[in-house]
Amino acid sequence: MSELTRIPAPDGLAPASQYTHVVLGTGRFVAVSGQLALDEHGGLVGENDPAAQARQVFENLRRCLASAGATFDDVVKLTYFVTDMAHMPAVREARTAHIPDDRLPAASAVQVAALIRPEFLMEIEAFAIVSP
């Protein structure tokens, strides 16, 4: 695990409740491509169910991070691409199962018109820094 410093509210910025404004770290950079709600056989998990899709996406992120020797403790940035901002509570609930509120990474949430297939409700990518 890398040593990360979180700056939740730099001077002149209001504190954020769902992310950290700045995360600093030194080590090996890991970029995880946007993950979708696919199981190990490529099947969709949770058709029309944002909570089920979010849980699967975070499980896929966990597996990708582990393959690089990282955990959610090493994540410095998450980017959420959702087809409807109404899915964000489900995303936050799935995130909380993996990342405690006192170690939130930097984050961006973007509503998109569509993802690669219409049944996907979200795609989430992660950046992490792992100790060398």
Side-chain angles (χ1 to χ4, degrees):
M1 178 171 40
S2 63
E3 188 68 31
L4 301 177
T5 302
R6 290 172 173 78
I7 304 170
D11 289 344
L13 292 179
S17 62
Q18 296 298 324
Y19 60 92
T20 298
H21 281 289
V22 179
V23 181
L24 306 168
T26 302
R28 185 171 44 90
F29 179 74
V30 177
V32 178
S33 291
Q35 295 298 301
L36 299 163
L38 294 172
D39 65 19
E40 63 272 15
H41 305 292
L44 174 67
V45 173
E47 186 167 358
N48 297 316
D49 184 344
Q53 287 200 20
R55 286 190 301 272
Q56 183 65 43
V57 168
F58 272 90
E59 176 58 18
N60 292 348
L61 288 168
R62 185 196 65 74
R63 289 176 179 171
C64 289
L65 290 164
S67 75
T71 70
F72 280 104
D73 287 339
D74 302 308
V75 171
V76 295
K77 175 78 168 35
L78 291 170
T79 305
Y80 310 103
F81 301 97
V82 294
T83 57
D84 188 330
M85 282 296 171
H87 302 325
M88 286 306 296
V91 170
R92 287 188 200 105
E93 185 175 329
R95 182 201 62 208
T96 298
H98 296 276
I99 304 172
D101 286 345
D102 66 340
R103 291 199 308 262
L104 292 174
S108 297
V110 182
Q111 183 170 325
V112 296
L115 292 166
I116 193 72
R117 292 192 338 226
E119 60 268 28
F120 294 122
L121 304 177
M122 65 196 64
E123 181 173 330
I124 303 173
E125 67 182 16
F127 299 141
I129 298 177
V130 181
S131 292

